[in-house]
Amino acid sequence: MADKDKGKSGGKKPAISYWSKKKCKCPVCETQFQREEMLSGNGRMIAGNLTDELHRIFEPSAKFGRVYPLIYLIGACPECHAAFFWSDFEEVKDPEVLRRISDDAKHRKQVVGNLFPHYNLKRERSLYDGAAMYFLALCTYDKVGAEHFPTMKRAIISLRLAWLCQDLEQAVPGHNFKVAADVFYRKALFFYQQAVVAETDRTEQSSAIPNAGPDMDKNYGWDGVVYLCGLLEYKYGQHDDPAQRIRKLDEYKTAIARIFGLGKSSKAKPGPLLEHSRELYNMLSKEIEESETIDVGNAL
């Protein structure tokens, strides 16, 4: 958001982003376009709390206001609206994959336009445009092969989309972005769990992804993936079948305890992920115990 709007003093707002001199080439339609990148330093990014979803909150500053660094990590072609993480613009080369992405262009634009009807890929991006780019990327990665880790990337993209939609709800309430956030949280739950399945049956080596995020400030790796599977199941999983829910929660309780060594001292995995894992373990245990108490009461 290299914002050019006038401030109260009549001057320009300080820049948040810039246009890179090196252009990006879309592998799908071969359109060349400028890459927008966020500037760093001078108090643009004031790190705040880390949420239980491993999302870093950045505090607004008096000079730059609130910034959203995540929106600059995705690129979108202004012609065919294919969107990728920036590095994948050079990595996705398979002709059949590119054909599938090209053939889906009209549908991709329509789907994203239904939620973000006024998005624009040719201007300095706003939070709104950035969220739309992530949605375009979610659609684009549906068409790529396993060698590009599409399941894991769609998990990360879905979770970030949920965060961005929550930011939009806070910025412009009353436009159903809270509803959209809930949808993307459930998508994130599905893709994170599918990534674990794909890793287990070796159809997609999701653990080999260079940066599993889920946010931009730290890579929590495969441990973070397992943690998020349990957390998202706890927060956004189904409640229609209580027995199935408890079985899943118990599975994640066991997985989290095994990976993080909960219940005994652990110096191998210190830091915020261990702390959040302990909290999640306790929440899972509490719900499971309460369910067992109810079952016993019903049997009497």
Side-chain angles (χ1 to χ4, degrees):
M1 278 187 302
D3 204 332
K4 296 181 180 179
D5 294 338
K6 299 289 184 178
K8 291 182 179 179
S9 64
K12 292 181 179 179
K13 286 185 179 180
I16 296 174
S17 65
Y18 68 97
W19 297 108
S20 174
K21 293 181 180 180
K22 183 180 178 181
K23 289 191 174 182
C24 181
K25 182 178 180 181
C26 174
V28 180
C29 67
E30 299 187 346
T31 296
Q32 290 192 335
F33 60 96
Q34 285 184 294
R35 172 172 174 170
E36 186 182 5
E37 299 191 39
M38 183 175 174
L39 290 161
S40 60
N42 294 324
R44 289 179 177 84
M45 295 169 61
I46 304 175
N49 294 330
L50 183 73
T51 72
D52 62 345
E53 296 168 2
L54 308 180
H55 176 35
R56 178 67 64 189
I57 302 299
F58 289 94
E59 302 295 338
S61 69
K63 184 176 181 180
F64 297 97
R66 188 174 293 279
V67 298
Y68 305 95
L70 280 178
I71 67 176
Y72 300 98
L73 304 184
I74 291 285
C77 172
E79 183 62 32
C80 71
H81 294 220
F84 303 96
F85 288 106
W86 286 112
S87 61
D88 280 335
F89 276 94
E90 297 181 356
E91 295 296 326
V92 179
K93 301 175 182 179
D94 186 285
E96 177 58 25
V97 168
L98 298 177
R99 183 194 63 78
R100 290 200 300 265
I101 296 173
S102 179
D103 290 347
D104 190 56
K106 182 177 180 181
H107 175 256
R108 184 166 58 248
K109 295 176 187 179
Q110 181 179 3
V111 169
V112 176
N114 288 338
L115 181 58
F116 302 100
H118 307 296
Y119 80 88
N120 189 326
L121 304 181
K122 297 182 179 180
R123 64 188 175 193
E124 295 158 344
R125 69 191 69 187
S126 62
L127 171 62
Y128 182 88
D129 296 327
M133 290 181 188
Y134 268 92
F135 198 1
L136 287 170
L138 186 63
C139 297
T140 304
Y141 280 106
D142 183 50
K143 306 299 180 184
V144 306
E147 67 274 15
H148 298 295
F149 318 112
T151 308
M152 191 71 254
K153 288 177 180 177
R154 282 182 288 174
I156 296 169
I157 288 167
S158 296
L159 185 55
R160 291 181 179 181
L161 254 174
W163 297 338
L164 293 174
C165 284
Q166 286 184 325
D167 290 334
L168 282 166
E169 178 65 25
Q170 184 177 8
V172 285
H175 293 274
N176 292 322
F177 287 118
K178 175 62 171 65
V179 176
D182 290 342
V183 171
F184 289 123
Y185 271 124
R186 290 193 291 272
K187 283 186 177 292
L189 168 61
F190 172 78
F191 285 124
Y192 269 108
Q193 294 182 348
Q194 286 300 115
V196 173
V197 171
E199 176 75 15
T200 303
D201 63 22
R202 299 184 179 183
T203 57
E204 186 178 324
Q205 287 187 293
S206 301
S207 62
I209 190 170
N211 190 336
D215 211 326
M216 61 177 290
D217 70 322
K218 184 173 177 60
N219 177 18
Y220 287 98
W222 193 249
D223 290 344
V225 170
V226 174
Y227 164 79
L228 284 168
C229 282
L231 179 74
L232 293 171
E233 183 66 48
Y234 176 77
K235 294 175 70 173
Y236 305 105
Q238 64 85 28
H239 289 261
D240 295 335
D241 186 338
Q244 182 184 21
R245 174 173 174 80
I246 293 302
R247 282 196 299 271
K248 280 198 169 187
L249 295 185
D250 193 48
E251 289 174 4
Y252 285 118
K253 175 187 171 183
T254 301
I256 289 169
R258 182 172 61 248
I259 289 178
F260 297 100
L262 302 184
K264 55 186 177 180
S265 62
S266 174
K267 296 182 179 180
K269 300 178 187 298
L273 182 55
L274 178 59
E275 295 171 9
H276 283 303
S277 297
R278 289 187 184 279
E279 293 173 5
L280 176 59
Y281 180 88
N282 291 335
M283 291 189 295
L284 295 175
S285 297
K286 182 179 179 181
E287 182 168 339
I288 292 168
E289 290 169 3
E290 290 176 348
S291 174
E292 292 173 348
T293 301
I294 293 172
D295 289 342
V296 171
N298 291 336
L300 295 177

